[in-house]
Amino acid sequence: MNLKEILDSTEIPVAYDHFTETSETPIPSLPFITYVEGDSDNTMADNNVWKIINDYTIELYTEFKALDIEQKLENVLLANKLPFNSSSTEWIEDEKMFVKYYYVRMI
């Protein structure tokens, strides 16, 4: 299962990097999730990659501090054995929304 499929199981709208608004698909209302791939940290030896390790940042956007929505995302990550760290929740003044970052590593 890839990260998009895992995040989709939260039943919160998900997009890689950002949502693109079109005449047929508006940007979803809050809450929503975006995620981006960061650097890899592969395990290598003898001129071979032994383990592919990718780091991702998951961004959870909400209109208020929503512990139940955070818990929903965290439960999905835990159920799929994805260890994570998270940031404190930040207010984005220009967008009038909160964001919380989750950092996961997929091996």
Side-chain angles (χ1 to χ4, degrees):
M1 191 178 272
N2 65 40
L3 184 57
K4 171 78 163 81
E5 294 168 334
I6 291 168
L7 295 174
D8 281 341
S9 71
T10 65
E11 299 179 350
I12 299 169
V14 177
Y16 184 83
D17 191 54
H18 65 281
F19 288 90
T20 302
E21 186 171 23
T22 68
S23 60
E24 296 175 7
T25 53
I27 293 177
S29 58
L30 296 170
F32 59 78
I33 294 170
T34 63
Y35 68 101
V36 293
E37 185 176 9
D39 296 332
S40 66
D41 190 20
N42 298 334
T43 301
M44 298 175 271
D46 302 324
N47 293 323
N48 288 302
V49 174
W50 291 96
K51 284 277 187 195
I52 295 175
I53 304 169
N54 291 310
D55 292 328
Y56 293 89
T57 301
I58 300 167
E59 302 170 8
L60 174 62
Y61 293 91
T62 57
E63 64 181 309
F64 49 86
K65 176 68 176 168
L67 294 174
D68 58 329
I69 297 170
E70 291 174 14
Q71 190 65 58
K72 186 177 193 178
L73 173 57
E74 292 169 9
N75 286 343
V76 165
L77 296 175
L78 291 170
N80 285 278
K81 300 185 187 310
L82 282 177
F84 63 88
N85 288 308
S86 63
S87 70
S88 58
T89 304
E90 299 175 20
W91 174 248
I92 305 171
E93 181 65 35
D94 293 344
E95 301 292 332
K96 304 294 187 224
M97 67 176 75
F98 288 95
V99 63
K100 184 167 184 173
Y101 300 98
Y102 291 84
Y103 308 100
V104 299
R105 175 168 279 189
M106 295 191 73
I107 301 174

